[in-house]
Amino acid sequence: MITAKLLQYMLITGEAGHKVAQEAAKHAESGRPEIPNILTLLHTIFPREAWAEWLVKWQSEFFSLIVIIILATIAYLGSRKRELIPSGLQNAVEAVVEGLYNFLIGVLGPQGKKFIPFLGTLFIYIFTMNLFGLIPGALSSTSNLNTTFSMAVIVFLYVQYTGIRKNGLLGYINHYAGNPKSVVEWCMVPLNFPIHIIGELSKPVSLSLRLFGNITGEDVLIAVFTGLGILVLSFIHTPVGIPLELPFIFLAILTSLIQALVFALLSTIYFQLMFPHKEEGEEGH
């Protein structure tokens, strides 16, 4: 594999360093091409240590936790000393919050204000995780299907809870039956109901697979072109190479934003679809 060659030519010194390159290259050949993060490198240095194996097993959760800590710290510092005329970090935080609020409220309408904190946080969290893999030694947790599917399931459960709460249990069931009114529509209920159920169950699957596939593709693409850049100059035994991956890093930044936006926007639409039609008419939305 190209990534295996990349790891073999990494600038690592000493006996432990050679062991890192050898073990990491072996790991890359057995799986998808990827640039190792700090936890996988620790595991190759200490392959028999239980703590190193535990860290590698939970690496997605580890980096997700780091993202949470970073975002929580920024939110705390940005709102700790609020001023009437914001500046600095407070100004940046408020600009992001206001932008997300205006965007999401345009989709949900005034009745969707209570969902803005959840959906806005979801977008920021996913976007930050997407970008985190571009930092040397870090990992995009969204390249793990368990992470994306977990978020999609949370959205799915919250949407179903919202549907029951806003429409009542009978109205919720009637929604999946297609809101039949005429005799013909009632006759179509046995067909419409299972179709709507299957369609609803497919939403978390499509949400999770879309995000996972795109972020994984970015990571693989960057790893492959990084390896190619190393191989071009491998004849002089240099640990660095031509930065062929640079254009794809900028592309990955754009894709990370788009994928976070798609995930949040689709989630917003799922909530909006659960609002009763009567309320939509009253709000003029």
Side-chain angles (χ1 to χ4, degrees):
M1 296 287 291
I2 293 175
T3 310
K5 290 291 185 181
L6 160 66
L7 295 172
Q8 289 171 354
Y9 289 111
M10 286 179 63
L11 182 58
I12 304 174
T13 58
E15 183 178 351
H18 291 297
K19 192 174 183 181
V20 169
Q22 183 179 5
E23 294 295 328
K26 187 185 300 182
H27 172 74
E29 289 178 340
S30 63
R32 73 189 186 202
E34 59 183 7
I35 298 177
N37 59 67
I38 186 65
L39 298 185
T40 56
L41 290 178
L42 283 174
H43 183 253
T44 55
I45 296 175
F46 307 100
R48 297 173 184 244
E49 297 292 337
W51 60 267
E53 184 175 349
W54 183 85
L55 284 175
V56 168
K57 180 180 178 181
W58 298 99
Q59 58 182 320
S60 294
E61 291 77 8
F62 176 83
F63 286 106
S64 294
L65 181 59
I66 292 179
V67 169
I68 292 173
I69 293 173
I70 292 174
L71 293 178
T73 303
I74 293 175
Y76 170 74
L77 295 176
S79 60
R80 182 179 55 175
K81 296 180 179 179
R82 287 177 290 183
E83 300 176 354
L84 184 60
I85 302 178
S87 61
L89 185 58
Q90 180 188 344
N91 190 35
V93 171
E94 289 189 4
V96 172
V97 171
E98 184 179 3
L100 287 172
Y101 177 86
N102 293 333
F103 175 76
L104 295 173
I105 207 69
V107 179
L108 290 173
Q111 60 183 331
K113 287 182 180 180
K114 63 175 295 184
F115 303 105
I116 302 300
F118 172 76
L119 294 168
T121 302
L122 188 67
F123 167 79
I124 295 172
Y125 180 50
I126 293 175
F127 181 49
T128 307
M129 282 196 295
N130 292 349
L131 292 179
F132 217 62
L134 301 178
I135 301 174
L139 171 75
S140 293
S141 297
T142 42
S143 64
N144 187 309
L145 186 57
N146 292 328
T147 302
T148 59
F149 187 69
S150 298
M151 292 187 295
V153 168
I154 292 173
V155 171
F156 172 79
L157 294 177
Y158 195 7
V159 167
Q160 305 314 309
Y161 168 76
T162 300
I164 295 175
R165 184 173 181 180
K166 282 189 168 290
N167 299 283
L169 183 57
L170 292 179
Y172 174 77
I173 296 174
N174 187 58
H175 169 77
Y176 285 111
N179 298 311
K181 295 179 178 61
S182 65
V183 175
V184 175
E185 290 175 338
W186 276 105
C187 291
M188 294 295 292
V189 168
L191 178 63
N192 288 334
F193 191 79
I195 290 177
H196 286 163
I197 293 297
I198 293 173
E200 198 69 21
L201 292 175
S202 68
K203 289 177 180 177
V205 177
S206 63
L207 274 179
S208 58
L209 288 178
R210 183 185 296 106
L211 180 58
F212 160 74
N214 280 279
I215 301 306
T216 300
E218 292 173 5
D219 292 347
V220 170
L221 193 64
I222 291 174
V224 168
F225 277 88
T226 300
L228 284 174
I230 295 290
L231 287 176
V232 169
L233 300 179
S234 62
F235 64 94
I236 60 174
H237 303 287
T238 174
V240 295
I242 301 175
L244 299 178
E245 75 282 2
L246 192 59
F248 299 100
I249 291 178
F250 291 108
L251 180 63
I253 295 174
L254 177 61
T255 308
S256 297
L257 174 61
I258 293 174
Q259 290 306 313
L261 185 61
V262 167
F263 195 104
L265 182 57
L266 287 176
S267 301
T268 304
I269 294 174
Y270 296 157
F271 279 103
Q272 197 273 337
L273 291 174
M274 280 297 177
F275 293 165
H277 297 291
K278 182 179 179 181
E279 288 189 17
E280 291 179 3
E282 291 176 355
E283 298 291 345
H285 181 65

